[in-house]
Coordinates of all heavy atoms in Angstrom, one line a residue:
N223 N 109.9 93.2 83.2 CA 108.7 93.7 82.6 C 107.5 93.5 83.6 O 106.7 92.6 83.5 CB 108.4 92.9 81.3 CG 109.4 93.2 80.3 OD1 110.0 94.3 80.2 ND2 109.7 92.2 79.5
C224 N 107.4 94.4 84.6 CA 106.4 94.3 85.6 C 106.0 95.6 86.1 O 106.7 96.6 85.9 CB 106.9 93.5 86.8 SG 106.9 91.7 86.5
P225 N 104.8 95.7 86.7 CA 104.3 97.0 87.2 C 105.4 97.5 88.2 O 106.0 96.7 88.9 CB 103.0 96.7 87.9 CG 102.5 95.4 87.3 CD 103.8 94.7 86.9
D226 N 105.5 98.8 88.3 CA 106.5 99.4 89.2 C 106.0 100.8 89.6 O 105.2 101.4 88.9 CB 107.8 99.5 88.6 CG 109.0 99.0 89.5 OD1 108.8 99.1 90.7 OD2 110.0 98.5 88.9
L227 N 106.5 101.3 90.8 CA 106.2 102.6 91.2 C 107.4 103.4 91.6 O 108.3 102.8 92.2 CB 105.3 102.6 92.5 CG 104.0 101.8 92.4 CD1 103.3 101.6 93.7 CD2 103.0 102.6 91.5
F228 N 107.5 104.6 91.2 CA 108.7 105.4 91.5 C 108.4 106.8 92.0 O 107.4 107.4 91.6 CB 109.5 105.6 90.2 CG 110.0 104.3 89.6 CD1 109.2 103.7 88.6 CD2 111.1 103.7 90.0 CE1 109.6 102.5 88.0 CE2 111.5 102.5 89.5 CZ 110.8 101.9 88.5
E229 N 109.2 107.3 92.9 CA 109.0 108.7 93.4 C 109.9 109.6 92.5 O 111.1 109.2 92.2 CB 109.4 108.9 94.8 CG 109.2 110.2 95.4 CD 109.4 110.3 96.9 OE1 109.7 109.3 97.5 OE2 109.2 111.4 97.4
L230 N 109.4 110.7 92.1 CA 110.2 111.6 91.2 C 110.8 112.8 92.0 O 110.3 113.1 93.1 CB 109.3 112.1 90.1 CG 108.6 111.0 89.2 CD1 107.6 111.7 88.2 CD2 109.6 110.2 88.5
S231 N 111.8 113.4 91.4 CA 112.5 114.5 92.0 C 111.6 115.7 92.3 O 111.9 116.5 93.2 CB 113.7 114.9 91.1 OG 113.2 115.3 89.8
D232 N 110.5 115.8 91.6 CA 109.6 117.0 91.8 C 108.5 116.6 92.8 O 107.6 117.4 93.1 CB 108.9 117.4 90.5 CG 108.0 116.4 89.9 OD1 107.8 115.3 90.4 OD2 107.4 116.7 88.8
G233 N 108.6 115.4 93.5 CA 107.6 115.0 94.5 C 106.4 114.2 94.0 O 105.7 113.6 94.7
N234 N 106.3 114.1 92.6 CA 105.2 113.3 92.0 C 105.7 111.9 92.0 O 106.8 111.5 92.3 CB 104.9 113.9 90.7 CG 104.1 115.2 90.7 OD1 103.2 115.3 91.5 ND2 104.5 116.1 89.9
F235 N 104.8 111.0 91.4 CA 105.0 109.6 91.3 C 104.8 109.1 89.9 O 103.9 109.7 89.2 CB 104.1 108.8 92.3 CG 104.4 109.1 93.7 CD1 103.6 110.1 94.3 CD2 105.3 108.5 94.5 CE1 103.8 110.5 95.6 CE2 105.5 108.8 95.8 CZ 104.8 109.8 96.4
A236 N 105.6 108.2 89.5 CA 105.5 107.6 88.1 C 105.1 106.1 88.3 O 105.5 105.5 89.2 CB 106.8 107.7 87.3
V237 N 104.2 105.7 87.4 CA 103.7 104.3 87.5 C 103.9 103.6 86.2 O 103.7 104.1 85.1 CB 102.1 104.3 87.8 CG1 101.5 103.0 87.8 CG2 101.8 105.1 89.1
I238 N 104.4 102.4 86.3 CA 104.5 101.5 85.1 C 103.4 100.4 85.4 O 103.4 99.8 86.4 CB 105.8 100.8 85.0 CG1 106.9 101.8 84.8 CG2 105.8 99.7 83.9 CD1 108.3 101.2 84.8
G239 N 102.5 100.3 84.5 CA 101.3 99.4 84.6 C 100.7 99.1 83.3 O 101.2 99.5 82.3
T240 N 99.7 98.3 83.3 CA 99.0 97.9 82.1 C 98.0 99.0 81.7 O 97.1 99.4 82.5 CB 98.2 96.6 82.4 OG1 99.1 95.6 82.8 CG2 97.5 96.1 81.1
E241 N 98.1 99.5 80.5 CA 97.2 100.6 80.0 C 95.8 100.0 79.9 O 95.6 98.9 79.2 CB 97.7 101.0 78.6 CG 97.4 102.4 78.3 CD 95.9 102.6 77.9 OE1 95.3 101.7 77.3 OE2 95.4 103.7 78.1
A242 N 94.8 100.6 80.5 CA 93.5 100.1 80.5 C 92.4 101.2 80.3 O 91.3 101.0 80.7 CB 93.2 99.3 81.8
T243 N 92.8 102.3 79.7 CA 91.9 103.4 79.5 C 90.6 103.0 78.8 O 89.5 103.3 79.2 CB 92.6 104.5 78.7 OG1 93.8 104.9 79.4 CG2 91.7 105.7 78.6
A244 N 90.7 102.3 77.7 CA 89.5 101.9 76.9 C 88.6 101.0 77.7 O 87.4 101.2 77.6 CB 90.0 101.2 75.6
A245 N 89.2 100.1 78.5 CA 88.3 99.2 79.3 C 87.7 99.9 80.5 O 86.6 99.5 80.9 CB 89.2 98.0 79.7
L246 N 88.4 100.9 81.1 CA 87.9 101.4 82.3 C 87.3 102.8 82.3 O 86.7 103.3 83.2 CB 89.0 101.4 83.4 CG 89.5 100.0 83.8 CD1 90.7 100.0 84.7 CD2 88.3 99.2 84.4
D247 N 87.5 103.5 81.2 CA 87.1 104.9 81.1 C 85.6 105.0 81.4 O 85.1 105.9 82.1 CB 87.4 105.4 79.7 CG 87.6 106.9 79.6 OD1 88.0 107.5 80.6 OD2 87.3 107.5 78.6
K248 N 84.8 104.1 80.8 CA 83.3 104.2 81.0 C 82.9 103.7 82.4 O 81.8 103.9 82.9 CB 82.6 103.3 80.0 CG 83.0 101.8 80.1 CD 82.3 101.1 78.9 CE 82.8 99.6 78.9 NZ 84.2 99.4 78.5
E249 N 83.9 103.2 83.2 CA 83.6 102.7 84.6 C 83.9 103.8 85.6 O 83.6 103.6 86.8 CB 84.4 101.5 84.9 CG 84.2 100.3 84.0 CD 82.8 99.7 84.2 OE1 82.3 99.8 85.3 OE2 82.2 99.3 83.2
L250 N 84.5 104.9 85.2 CA 84.8 106.0 86.1 C 83.5 106.5 86.8 O 82.5 106.6 86.1 CB 85.5 107.1 85.4 CG 87.0 106.9 85.0 CD1 87.5 108.1 84.2 CD2 87.9 106.6 86.2
P251 N 83.6 106.8 88.1 CA 82.4 107.3 88.8 C 82.1 108.7 88.2 O 83.0 109.4 87.6 CB 82.8 107.4 90.2 CG 84.2 107.2 90.3 CD 84.7 106.6 89.0
P252 N 80.9 109.2 88.4 CA 80.5 110.5 87.9 C 81.4 111.7 88.3 O 81.5 112.7 87.6 CB 79.0 110.7 88.4 CG 78.6 109.4 88.7 CD 79.8 108.6 89.1
D253 N 82.0 111.6 89.5 CA 82.8 112.7 90.0 C 84.3 112.5 89.6 O 85.2 113.2 90.1 CB 82.6 112.9 91.5 CG 83.1 111.7 92.3 OD1 83.3 110.6 91.7 OD2 83.2 111.8 93.5
A254 N 84.6 111.6 88.7 CA 86.0 111.4 88.2 C 86.1 111.6 86.7 O 85.1 111.4 86.0 CB 86.4 110.0 88.6
S255 N 87.2 112.1 86.3 CA 87.4 112.3 84.9 C 88.9 112.3 84.6 O 89.7 112.3 85.5 CB 86.8 113.7 84.4 OG 87.4 114.7 85.0
R256 N 89.2 112.3 83.3 CA 90.6 112.3 83.0 C 90.8 113.2 81.7 O 89.9 113.4 80.9 CB 91.2 110.9 82.7 CG 90.5 110.3 81.5 CD 91.2 109.0 81.1 NE 90.6 108.5 79.8 CZ 91.0 109.0 78.6 NH1 92.0 109.9 78.5 NH2 90.4 108.6 77.6
A257 N 91.9 113.9 81.6 CA 92.2 114.7 80.5 C 92.6 113.8 79.3 O 93.0 112.7 79.5 CB 93.4 115.7 80.8
D258 N 92.6 114.4 78.1 CA 92.9 113.6 76.9 C 94.3 113.1 77.0 O 94.6 112.0 76.4 CB 92.8 114.5 75.7 CG 91.3 114.7 75.3 OD1 90.4 114.0 75.8 OD2 91.1 115.7 74.5
Y259 N 95.2 113.8 77.7 CA 96.6 113.3 77.8 C 96.8 112.3 78.9 O 97.9 111.8 79.1 CB 97.6 114.5 77.9 CG 97.3 115.4 79.1 CD1 97.8 115.0 80.4 CD2 96.5 116.5 79.0 CE1 97.5 115.8 81.5 CE2 96.2 117.3 80.1 CZ 96.7 116.9 81.3 OH 96.4 117.7 82.4
E260 N 95.8 112.0 79.7 CA 95.9 111.1 80.8 C 95.4 109.7 80.4 O 94.6 109.6 79.6 CB 95.1 111.6 82.0 CG 95.7 112.9 82.6 CD 94.8 113.4 83.7 OE1 93.5 113.3 83.6 OE2 95.4 113.9 84.7
R261 N 96.0 108.7 81.1 CA 95.6 107.3 80.8 C 95.3 106.6 82.1 O 95.8 107.0 83.2 CB 96.8 106.5 80.2 CG 97.2 107.1 78.8 CD 96.0 106.9 77.8 NE 96.3 107.5 76.5 CZ 95.8 108.7 76.1 NH1 95.1 109.4 77.0 NH2 96.1 109.2 75.0
I262 N 94.4 105.6 82.1 CA 94.1 104.8 83.3 C 95.1 103.6 83.2 O 95.1 102.9 82.2 CB 92.7 104.3 83.2 CG1 91.7 105.5 83.3 CG2 92.4 103.4 84.4 CD1 90.3 105.2 83.1
V263 N 95.8 103.4 84.3 CA 96.8 102.4 84.3 C 96.5 101.4 85.5 O 96.2 101.9 86.6 CB 98.2 103.0 84.5 CG1 99.3 101.9 84.6 CG2 98.5 103.9 83.3
V264 N 96.6 100.1 85.2 CA 96.3 99.2 86.3 C 97.7 98.7 86.8 O 98.6 98.3 86.1 CB 95.5 97.9 85.7 CG1 95.4 96.9 86.8 CG2 94.2 98.4 85.2
V265 N 97.8 98.7 88.2 CA 99.0 98.2 88.9 C 98.5 97.0 89.7 O 97.4 97.2 90.4 CB 99.6 99.3 89.7 CG1 100.8 98.8 90.5 CG2 100.0 100.5 88.8
S266 N 99.2 96.0 89.8 CA 98.8 94.8 90.6 C 98.7 95.2 92.0 O 99.4 96.0 92.6 CB 99.7 93.6 90.4 OG 101.0 93.9 91.0
R267 N 97.8 94.5 92.7 CA 97.5 94.7 94.1 C 98.8 94.5 94.9 O 99.2 95.2 95.8 CB 96.5 93.7 94.6 CG 96.2 93.8 96.1 CD 95.1 92.9 96.5 NE 94.8 93.0 97.9 CZ 94.0 93.9 98.5 NH1 93.4 94.8 97.7 NH2 93.8 93.9 99.8

Side-chain angles (χ1 to χ4, degrees):
N223 298 326
C224 282
D226 227 331
L227 302 168
F228 300 96
E229 186 171 0
L230 303 177
S231 58
D232 66 0
N234 287 315
F235 298 92
V237 177
I238 297 173
T240 303
E241 207 284 330
T243 304
L246 295 175
D247 207 30
K248 62 186 174 291
E249 300 294 325
L250 289 173
D253 61 347
S255 64
R256 63 173 191 82
D258 288 341
Y259 58 85
E260 295 175 321
R261 299 292 173 261
I262 299 171
V263 179
V264 175
V265 177
S266 71
R267 179 178 180 84

